[in-house]
Amino acid sequence: MKLTDDERAMLDGKQGPARQKAMDLLVRYGEALGAEDFVDTNNVCTSVGATTPFLRDFAAKAGGLDAAFSEFNLDSSEAVQIPKAKAFSCQLIQGLDPDHWQEQGVAPATRALHEVNESFSAGIGLQMMNTCTPYLVGNVPVKGEHCAWMESSAVAYCNSVLGGRTNTEGRESSSAAMLTGKIPNWGLHLDENRFGTHLVEVDAAVEDIMDWGLLGYYLGEAILDGLPVLVRRGKVPDLPRLKHFGAAAATSGGIEMYHIVGVTPEAPTLQEAFGGRKPRATLRYGRAERELAYRNLNAHATDTKVDFVMLGCPHSSLEQVWNAAKLLEGKRLHSGVNLWIFTPRSIREVADRNGYTKIITDAGARLMSDTCPALGQVMPKGVKVAATDSAKQTHYLPSIMGVQTWFGSTEDCVRAAITGRWEGALR
């Protein structure tokens, strides 16, 4: 790879051993990808802490969290002291909510480890956002900005809606980018790879969050890792709809970017979305495809007696928390059901001030932050049947947590939390 003087200095160890390890990792990574050089980045979303007994034991034996970071974030068996981040970097979603850890069934030792991890991460300059939706709480890249982000749903939103440029990075590459301010110049950093590959003619009604989740889930399965260009009628989708769409498409497939003609920033016209090229294939999304996506998502649920409802994957926007509070106001959950709603902590603080948290709590539900059931593997004890408005959680919960999971609208889910029965349907 072609290295600048600054990159060569880091690789030669002139900026310390940790940056040398990080740059060595990035050079190996870039060469494996066929990248010719690097781009500068000052926008990283990564994961440093991990609330697992394995990490706790490893850190204790190896000499602390510097050693754990060296091994698991820099691919280095040699423990080096980790310096302050060079690039602006944000912590992604974590394994627990430190305010609701007992309800989530987290062990006290794991809660204590979380505190140690947070202190270490903040000490090296990581912004403790602890969310899968960093764009909701201040990290909003501008069009053309080079980023190094983990988290598939955030990557899809960054590339598609904001026009930032990132591939789906891993823990190692994003951590190395945090210490160097560099990332290999390949994939979606390059103009030629940001043009559409598949034309999608959307004929079915796509209106609410559920509809957008169904569309995303269908396209992920149909296209896998292509770049769809959607042509549709109807209202311009808002942030929550696009958030759920990208998350679903990245879950059932590997879609990292999409275009919606006349909506997303790199698709003002159909011709510009494809860069003047012809699509590899044309897909039609109509009633039959919508019904197929719904059946696929609900294929692992048969029992209509629901005991857990989850909202907030990806983490809920303030508008979604507000809507949930309106649906719950003056009502009470069924005695056998837990309802957990997940949102970034800073949004939860606004919800506290607005009284939404009280409405939610008075109904018997909980407003949580920092984690989610699938990633944190946190769930009320004894859950057998769950319901959610998230295609992503519906996809993962049966395999990760071993529970039947229903997918439907937000209204369907809240109704199930109140009645204890799943009565959702495709309308």
Side-chain angles (χ1 to χ4, degrees):
M1 295 183 71
K2 300 173 184 177
L3 302 183
T4 64
D5 291 343
D6 179 49
E7 292 159 1
R8 176 59 64 183
M10 284 190 281
L11 186 61
D12 290 344
K14 295 179 181 178
Q15 296 185 26
R19 300 196 205 283
Q20 190 278 326
K21 299 288 186 186
M23 201 67 218
D24 174 70
L25 184 153
L26 289 174
V27 168
R28 288 184 284 127
Y29 176 48
E31 288 178 345
L33 296 168
E36 296 181 358
D37 55 10
F38 291 96
V39 290
D40 295 329
T41 181
N42 190 41
N43 194 323
V44 177
C45 288
T46 187
S47 179
V48 170
T51 49
T52 63
F54 174 79
L55 177 64
R56 179 188 65 226
D57 295 342
F58 180 91
K61 292 177 182 177
L65 290 177
D66 282 314
F69 188 102
S70 300
E71 178 75 29
F72 298 107
N73 292 64
L74 296 180
D75 188 34
S76 171
S77 57
E78 177 189 356
V80 295
Q81 184 176 357
I82 307 305
K84 297 281 188 181
K86 179 174 282 191
F88 178 78
S89 303
C90 303
Q91 175 68 58
L92 288 166
I93 193 168
Q94 292 286 275
L96 60 90
D97 179 343
D99 295 331
H100 293 96
W101 62 277
Q102 290 173 305
E103 291 176 80
Q104 293 176 347
V106 174
T110 303
R111 169 69 175 88
L113 175 62
H114 180 79
E115 287 187 346
V116 174
N117 280 333
E118 282 224 329
S119 178
F120 173 81
S121 299
I124 61 174
L126 195 60
Q127 314 304 317
M128 302 310 295
M129 292 180 175
N130 292 13
T131 179
C132 56
T133 54
Y135 49 87
L136 289 180
V137 291
N139 188 345
V140 186
V142 298
K143 182 181 178 182
E145 181 178 354
H146 291 286
C147 306
W149 283 22
M150 292 175 62
E151 168 47 42
S152 60
S153 70
V155 165
Y157 194 92
C158 176
N159 281 316
S160 310
V161 183
L162 301 175
R165 298 190 170 205
T166 183
N167 299 299
T168 303
E169 299 298 342
R171 181 188 182 106
E172 300 83 1
S173 58
S174 58
S175 295
M178 175 181 74
L179 295 180
T180 62
K182 308 287 182 177
I183 199 71
N185 187 22
W186 77 289
L188 292 172
H189 291 287
L190 302 172
D191 289 344
E192 60 264 30
N193 295 326
R194 297 178 67 85
F195 297 121
T197 60
H198 293 70
L199 175 62
V200 181
E201 298 174 345
V202 181
D203 295 331
V206 182
E207 300 296 340
D208 61 11
I209 286 172
M210 174 181 166
D211 288 333
W212 282 95
L214 289 171
L215 175 58
Y217 200 78
Y218 175 80
L219 290 181
E221 288 188 315
I223 295 176
L224 299 179
D225 61 353
L227 202 163
V229 178
L230 280 63
V231 178
R232 59 177 295 276
R233 298 181 297 275
K235 297 178 181 178
V236 173
D238 60 8
L239 185 157
R241 288 165 171 79
L242 294 177
K243 173 166 64 79
H244 278 261
F245 171 69
T251 298
S252 60
I255 291 176
E256 296 178 300
M257 184 175 180
Y258 59 84
H259 297 302
I260 304 176
V261 176
V263 175
T264 53
E266 295 177 49
T269 66
L270 186 63
Q271 184 177 14
E272 288 176 273
F274 281 104
R277 306 170 183 174
K278 291 183 178 180
R280 294 180 200 166
T282 298
L283 287 74
R284 177 184 176 275
Y285 181 81
R287 180 180 297 178
E289 290 76 18
R290 182 171 180 260
E291 291 175 353
L292 176 62
Y294 186 79
R295 287 197 305 273
N296 287 347
L297 276 165
N298 286 293
H300 298 287
T302 56
D303 190 347
T304 58
K305 185 179 179 181
V306 172
D307 46 20
F308 176 56
V309 177
M310 181 270 177
L311 305 176
C313 174
H315 277 173
S316 293
S317 66
L318 182 59
E319 179 187 2
Q320 288 176 284
V321 174
W322 173 54
N323 284 333
K326 288 191 293 183
L327 291 170
L328 288 167
E329 190 164 16
K331 298 180 175 65
R332 186 73 187 171
L333 299 191
H334 188 275
S335 60
V337 181
N338 284 281
L339 169 57
W340 291 358
I341 304 169
F342 293 85
T343 192
R345 189 179 303 200
S346 56
I347 289 180
R348 189 173 75 183
E349 291 176 357
V350 177
D352 291 347
R353 293 199 299 272
N354 275 33
Y356 305 148
T357 306
K358 185 177 186 304
I359 292 171
I360 290 167
T361 303
D362 286 348
R366 293 291 181 267
L367 185 61
M368 298 182 175
S369 65
D370 291 25
T371 191
C372 74
L375 185 137
Q377 298 186 35
V378 292
M379 191 175 283
K381 188 177 180 179
V383 169
K384 295 180 179 179
V385 183
T388 178
D389 63 354
S390 165
K392 181 172 184 176
Q393 288 284 318
T394 308
H395 181 91
Y396 287 124
L397 285 179
S399 57
I400 293 176
M401 300 301 288
V403 298
Q404 297 182 44
T405 307
W406 293 103
F407 171 79
S409 69
T410 305
E411 293 78 8
D412 287 339
C413 291
V414 173
R415 188 180 305 111
I418 293 169
T419 65
R421 308 294 303 184
W422 180 253
E423 299 173 350
L426 190 61
R427 299 174 179 84

